[in-house]
Amino acid sequence: KERFGLAVAQLGPIHLNDSRESAVARLMEMMREAAGRGAKLVVFPELALTTFFPRYWMSEEEAEARFFEPAMPGPATQPLFDLAKSLGIGFYLGYAERTTDGQRFNTSILVDDQANIVGRYRKIHLPGHSDHKPEAPFQHLEKKFFEVGNDGFGVWPMLGTNVGQCICNDRRWPETFRVMSLQDARLVVLGYNTPSWNIHWTEPPHLRMFHHLLSLQANAYQNALWIGAAAKCGSEDGFHMIGGSAIVAPTGEIVAQSQSEDDEVIFAAVDMTLGDNFRNNVFNFAKHRRPEHYGLILER
Ligand code: ING
């Protein structure tokens, strides 16, 4: 059986004044628990080293100095890589990347059980705005602080299967998962920071959780994928974000979901053959998919 332990490590709040080292210590604690439960891969959230800083108006230079990583691993994250190697567990980590030539991305990496970076992804669907909205209760300045990712949606061989990765808002766009399932992904992992409140209109808060889970379940089913999604959640300096970390099967069913809005590890023994019947029948791309009729998706 192609079966292995998958863990999703949800982070509770990281406050403005929390150090990277304190965040990494929490990640290491959950990595130990994940390995103890037999996980071979643990999924951490988007921007897992700092507070969700795009909620604050500041200059790009200030954001870069306070919240970006010029190296990965760097001094604060090297202990996490060392622990992963000693435990023999791979991981997904989201962080703010500053490249050597000064570009800034909302980035995630897949790291194998020897602590080698296997694959890098730079967030493509950047939500929010780049202008200052002083009347809003908080900002959402991903379009100001990050460039659109230039790595495309990748899939990498890991753990005897094919693993794809994306970040947060990407999960709301069907193209994200289709492009990865067209590359034979069997599992997609992602982190997210999802504010509970909408700054653009008065949206009932329950819809945040509904649309989050709907996006995971629909895309898992329609692409015969396992999906592991890790929240950073709870109230960061008073700004609330939803939890709902989940492991979703290719059937579209939720097999594990977090109960809290704190640091919490959820776990499932995932059978990578579970999607085969869907991929070979209902969603047999070769037999049933008709790309000659899908042109509008690329033309507009
Ligand atoms: N956060 C949110 C997300 O896509 C959002 C932003 C929420 C956009 C709800 C639209 C609707 O989950 C990030 N970081 O993308």
Side-chain angles (χ1 to χ4, degrees), residues 234-299:
S235 178
E236 295 191 329
D237 298 295
F239 298 95
H240 188 266
M241 298 190 291
I242 66 166
S245 301
I247 299 173
V248 180
T251 59
E253 295 168 297
I254 298 170
V255 299
Q257 187 172 330
S258 64
Q259 304 294 307
S260 75
E261 294 183 338
D262 290 314
D263 296 8
E264 178 180 346
V265 177
I266 59 174
F267 178 89
V270 296
D271 172 0
M272 299 317 292
T273 68
L274 194 60
D276 291 356
N277 286 331
F278 296 93
R279 199 173 305 107
N280 297 334
N281 297 284
V282 182
F283 297 112
N284 182 317
F285 289 168
K287 280 187 184 164
H288 304 315
R289 198 167 156 271
R290 306 259 48 98
E292 68 272 20
H293 291 287
Y294 304 162
L296 275 184
I297 292 177
L298 284 183
E299 285 153 28

Side-chain angles (χ1 to χ4, degrees), residues 101-120:
D101 52 9
Q103 291 182 290
R104 290 185 304 272
F105 296 102
N106 187 343
T107 296
S108 65
I109 49 173
L110 278 172
V111 182
D112 70 14
D113 59 7
Q114 296 301 310
N116 300 310
I117 296 179
V118 167
R120 181 193 65 212

